[in-house]
Amino acid sequence: MNAVVIVAGGKGLRMGADIPKQFLCVGGRPILIRTLERFREYDAGLQIVLVLPHEQQAYWADLCRQYGFSIDYTLADGGPTRFHSVLNGLQKVAPDAALIAVHDGVRPYVSTEVIGRCFDEAARSGAVVPVVDVVETLRHLDSDGTSHTVPRSEYVRVQTPQVFEAQLLRRAYAQPFSERFTDDASVVESTGHAVALVAGNVENIKITTPNDLTC
């Protein structure tokens, strides 16, 4: 059995909305519902763990009733940081899970092909993230206040789901929290384990601002 921990702890401050962004509507359905549906579409037997701040859970329950959402999942409380939220989610994952994915709740457009590609590679290498090419020109901000162009071919944009061998991910999250942990791959890399890359899909954006919504 495999599992996914879907982390949805955002307050939506940059969205300028009255409700957290994961509950906003895209294409007539809430973002978070669409995200969970995509993983169930990928694998009917996948364990889904949803990490949500405790104070948002009653609103989420009402939203599920309103939209007739009935997919099975396990609920975990969010923590003070993403690291702690993932840690809480891991504690709800079945002990016999072989591979565990971690996905942003506000990435509803991930393709099932990318999800499958990540799980397949994680089964081989133990750790994988999906990436897409950088198409914009990049500049590095120098310490003296100037900047210079860097070759974009040397960089990629990282997406989720990030998928790992279960025991590897659990060991990595047994470490104390560090500010240098920017995603799950950085937590795993700090143990000395290399992280493989696979092709993501460009539509798999992290919904952050109103321009990302198409209702």
Side-chain angles (χ1 to χ4, degrees):
M1 184 196 72
N2 296 326
V4 58
V5 175
I6 296 176
V7 185
K11 295 180 174 63
L13 298 179
R14 280 175 287 181
M15 192 65 73
D18 294 331
I19 61 173
K21 59 187 176 182
Q22 57 264 25
F23 300 141
L24 295 175
C25 167
V26 60
R29 289 177 72 75
I31 290 169
L32 191 53
I33 285 179
R34 287 189 172 276
T35 301
L36 269 68
E37 288 175 337
R38 185 54 55 92
F39 279 87
R40 182 57 73 228
E41 178 185 352
Y42 162 70
D43 181 359
L46 187 71
Q47 182 190 7
I48 297 175
V49 176
L50 173 61
V51 184
L52 200 61
H54 185 77
E55 63 273 17
Q56 296 178 11
Q57 292 176 13
Y59 184 90
W60 165 247
D62 288 341
L63 207 61
C64 290
R65 286 190 289 270
Q66 178 183 346
Y67 285 88
F69 179 74
S70 58
I71 287 176
D72 289 334
Y73 65 91
T74 302
L75 191 61
D77 288 343
T81 69
R82 188 181 189 280
F83 176 93
H84 295 97
S85 290
V86 173
L87 182 59
N88 289 351
L90 288 175
Q91 293 170 358
K92 298 284 188 174
V93 173
D96 61 344
L99 300 172
I100 303 174
V102 184
H103 187 69
D104 298 321
V106 289
R107 288 186 188 266
Y109 300 125
V110 61
S111 72
T112 54
E113 291 79 12
V114 167
I115 297 172
R117 196 176 298 145
C118 290
F119 273 104
D120 289 346
E121 179 57 39
R124 289 187 290 268
S125 64
V128 62
V129 298
V131 299
V132 292
D133 291 338
V134 174
V135 296
E136 299 91 351
T137 296
L138 297 178
R139 294 187 68 84
H140 182 270
L141 302 179
D142 301 321
S143 58
D144 62 359
T146 62
S147 65
H148 66 274
T149 301
V150 294
R152 61 189 177 196
S153 61
E154 295 180 3
Y155 297 86
V156 290
R157 290 187 290 129
V158 176
Q159 302 179 330
T160 66
Q162 301 184 1
V163 186
F164 309 91
E165 190 275 324
Q167 295 310 312
L168 169 64
L169 187 61
R170 293 184 193 277
R171 287 195 304 272
Y173 270 90
Q175 301 176 93
F177 170 72
S178 169
E179 293 288 348
R180 71 179 186 277
F181 296 151
T182 58
D183 63 358
D184 309 288
S186 63
V187 180
V188 169
E189 280 180 324
S190 70
T191 70
H193 196 288
V195 175
L197 307 180
V198 297
N201 63 293
V202 294
E203 302 84 6
N204 183 21
I205 63 170
K206 185 176 182 180
I207 294 177
T208 305
T209 70
N211 289 335
D212 301 326
L213 288 173
T214 308
C215 290

